[in-house]
Structure formats: structure tokens, C-alpha cells
Amino acid sequence: MALVEINFDGLIGPSHNYAGLSPGNLAATRSAGAVSEPRAAALQGIDKMRANLKLGLTQGIFMPLARPDHRWLASLSTDYADAPMHLKAQALSASAMWAANAATVSPAPDTADGRCHLTVANLVTMPHRSHEWPGTLAQLRMAFADPAAFVVHGPVPPPFGDEGAANHMRLCPAHDAPGIEVFVYGVSGGPFPARQHRDASEAIARAHGLNPDRTLFVQQSEAAIAAGAFHNDVVAVANERVLFAHEHAFADRDAFFAELSRLMPEVEIVEVPAARVSLSDAIASYLFNAQLVTPPDGQPTLIVPTEARDNAAVWSWLEDHLAGNGAIRRVEVVDVRQSMANGGGPACLRLRVVADPTTIDPRFMVDAARLDRIAAIVERHWPERIAADAIGDPALIAQAEQARRALLEAEGLVGLINT
Ligand code: SUG
């Protein structure tokens, strides 16, 4: 079978809650202390996967990680009962749902050895995310175990922050053809941390055997990070020959666009001017944290969150673009409000892997029937609500752990229980 783009969504875990753990992520900060709805959250994510399948896209899934992360707490010489509140929250976070931060992926046509390379992200900047990688790596090694097709790399060592595919874009004539890989790094972000370090991006490009002549390292604008774009995928997204970006996404937009056009003359850059959509509207609506995909009918489709439809400036720009026969031909709206309230839109929830689906462990691929089965497990076991002051409640923790165990047992993935 041919190489196709597969979207792997992180199933939203039973411990999903609003602890306000990510400074610089304005939505998460705003939601701190709110009551979360893990069951509704996971069902919203499943509905998004169902909608992708209906569009004719190939869909994969990653399982929630073991939370609380007892191993991480043990490495800090404590346990869940005794840990201070902030460590409890960091150990409990369901943040692995945002699969765009799981790894950076270079498909086989781009790499020196003709295999698809994946590097698990170290996520060192935020404590609650810094302990995701061992569990994520275990799943990547299981899902992409075929050594003829994949190479799975461990994380770039600290202190070089790496947040995975959220800061990586690939432009190509078609998914199965060689592409230009663009790594977007941050240097400064006003009051907020720049999470992606250039040294990390360069290390990944070397590890993946990318052709330096077809690899770009581009600085994210300080204004974007300061306005709340803690990852590039909050202000830009690429698919095949289309780059869709906000005017203020990059530090030196002119140089980047010129270089990209030289390397790939057929590139179509769709830029949204700040005069139409301010950075702040772009970030609040997650217009760019959309899935830009090519369904089998060939019509470039933008999958946006409901928040984009609710924002007048954003929606009118999208309507004008569609009416003007722009590069994006169709807009689909999905409700992922529970994830959005923690700063994770449709694009955050998925990792794109271009591969032959038959080379992937089928336990990580889904069709509609399998999603129905998983939804039934979620309905039965996921907590309905988690209040901020409940994260110390042993009964809640027991329910969250039991819910994940039920899922992994039903899905033949008990090997992941301790990861
Ligand atoms: O790292 N939110 C995530 C959102 C990640 C979005 N991913 C992409 N843009 N690809 C983050 O900031 C909030 C969790 C909390 O506060 O409990 C959080 O981690």
C-alpha cells in the first residue's frame, strides 16, 4: 500500500483537569480552577476522529498515559499521598492528549535511509509535560515497531527544549513525495518561555538524516509567543503545498517566504493579515490550530474548532477566502471545547505520520466500529467531572486509574499499563 497521511489523536485521559499548569498558554491559565469534564472531553475527541473518518482520512490513536505518574513522583522521592499540591497536579495532568507534542516526524521520502523517523519530544520546559516522554516513547516503539519502515529515537537531552511536531511543518507536492521540512524555534517570548530551542530542532534534523538543503530553521516571532502562541501550530499550519499562517507568526517572514518559494516554487502561502484578524483573535479562536488536510476528493479542508466560527473577524475572513476560491476549499467545524479550555485545539490533539498503514501495529489504528467500542468504555468508566480541589481525593485517583486499565484491557494493550 502507498504512503498516506495518518492522524494519530491522543485519546483524552480520565484525569483531564484544569490546574493552570502552563504559563504562556492563556486559555489554560484562564481555566485554572474550573471544573473539568473528562468524559465529555474524551467523547468530543472521539467525535473529531469520527468526523475525520467520514471525510475519508486514515485515523490512528494513542492511549492516555498512566496518571498520576507514580514513577515520576518516586524519582522526586515522594508519592501521591504525600506530594505537595503542585506536584500532585503535575503528576496527574492528562497533557499527553496533545499528540502534536508527542514527537517530530520525518516521513520516509525525506530521510537518508528511506525510513520514517520519529523523535519523542522531551517537553522539558513545563514540569507537568516533562515526564510524558517515557510513556509516549513506549507507545511509539510499539506502534511503529517495524524496523524496515520506522526508526524511533529517544528524546533530545535537556536543557534543549523540544515540543515535537507542534513546531515542525512539512511542505511537499504530495505526502508521498520528498518535502521541505521547516523547524520553527523560539528565542524569546516577552514574559513567556520559548519552548522550542533551535539546538533541539537541529539535533532532530541530523538524527532523521534530513537533507540540509531542504531543511529550514525559522524563528517564531517574539510577538506571537508573547500574545500566547506557545507553539508555532497556534499561528501556522502546513499541508502539502499550502502554508497557512498569520502575518506575525515568524520573526523574519520575508526571508522565510523567499527561501521557501525558492526551494518549492509551487508553494501556496495563505497569509492572514493582522488588519483582518489580530494575533489575539487568532490565538483566542485557534484559527491556525486547525487540521489542514486533503481528503480523497482532493479538496484542501480546514478543520477548525467552534471557537473559530464564534469569532466574527475569523469567520468573515474564512468566508471571504472560500468565496474567493482560495487554496482552502472547505471548512469543517468540530467541538473540542474541553481541550480548548486547556489551550489544545484540533491540531494539538493529533500527530501526523506519513506511512503505509499496513506497517503500523493495528492496535493504534481506528475505524468507526472501534471508536464506538472505545466510546462505550469512556461512557462507562471516565469520571464525569473533576473539580480543582478534588485532585487529592483518593477515590477520584482510583477511578481514573481503573478507567485506563479497563480501556487497555479491552483494547489488548495491557503491556502499556505501567507506562
Ligand atoms: O502544553 N496545555 C498544553 C496545550 C498543548 C497544545 N498543543 C499544541 N499547541 N500542539 C500545553 O500548554 C495545560 C494543562 C493544565 O494547565 O493543566 C496544558 O498543558
Side-chain angles (χ1 to χ4, degrees), residues 72-73 76 78 80 83-92 127 131:
W72 182 66
L73 289 172
L76 291 162
T78 187
Y80 202 77
M85 218 40 166
H86 67 285
L87 290 187
K88 278 189 174 57
Q90 289 163 0
L92 190 65
H131 58 100

Side-chain angles (χ1 to χ4, degrees), residues 49-305:
M49 291 189 252
R50 286 181 171 130
N52 279 358
L53 287 172
K54 279 205 189 101
L55 283 173
L57 303 170
T58 310
Q59 185 67 44
I61 193 166
F62 292 136
M63 297 294 150
L65 302 185
R67 293 293 178 267
D69 187 345
H70 298 294
R71 205 171 288 165
W72 182 66
L73 289 172
S75 76
L76 291 162
S77 305
T78 187
D79 59 21
Y80 202 77
D82 290 337
M85 218 40 166
H86 67 285
L87 290 187
K88 278 189 174 57
Q90 289 163 0
L92 190 65
S93 175
S95 53
M97 70 175 79
W98 297 298
N101 307 117
T104 304
V105 185
S106 295
D110 298 353
T111 66
D113 66 4
R115 293 183 289 173
C116 174
H117 285 245
L118 300 96
T119 294
V120 71
N122 64 27
L123 293 162
V124 292
T125 305
M126 296 292 157
H128 69 289
R129 305 213 63 178
S130 68
H131 58 100
E132 280 176 41
W133 71 262
T136 301
L137 185 57
Q139 291 202 44
L140 295 177
R141 289 207 196 285
M142 200 182 264
F144 307 108
D146 181 346
F150 299 104
V151 184
V152 178
H153 301 268
V156 172
F160 307 111
D162 170 33
E163 306 254 332
N167 296 312
H168 175 257
M169 303 186 288
R170 178 171 188 261
L171 290 129
C172 51
H175 290 130
D176 60 357
I180 308 297
E181 296 205 12
V182 181
F183 291 81
V184 182
Y185 61 91
V187 174
S188 52
F192 301 133
R195 299 203 208 175
Q196 184 73 36
H197 298 187
R198 181 172 177 141
D199 281 311
S201 299
E202 290 184 353
I204 293 166
R206 287 191 292 270
H208 291 192
L210 299 182
N211 179 345
D213 297 335
R214 299 175 61 79
T215 307
L216 298 178
F217 299 94
V218 174
Q219 190 187 329
Q220 188 179 10
S221 81
E222 179 172 343
I225 300 175
F230 49 93
H231 291 136
N232 173 63
D233 69 2
V234 174
V235 281
V237 59
N239 176 56
E240 295 189 327
R241 65 189 80 216
V242 180
L243 169 64
F244 178 46
H246 190 270
E247 182 185 351
H248 294 152
F250 309 108
D252 187 349
R253 131 197 198 278
D254 294 348
F256 170 37
F257 291 175
E259 191 59 6
L260 188 58
S261 306
R262 186 182 67 78
L263 291 170
M264 194 176 153
E266 67 269 46
V267 72
E268 289 182 63
I269 300 174
V270 179
E271 190 184 55
V272 179
R276 287 292 307 269
V277 176
S278 66
L279 256 185
S280 127
D281 273 343
I283 290 165
S285 69
Y286 267 33
L287 167 63
F288 299 97
N289 198 264
Q291 288 185 253
L292 184 55
V293 292
T294 316
D297 66 8
Q299 299 295 301
T301 299
L302 193 70
I303 302 168
V304 298

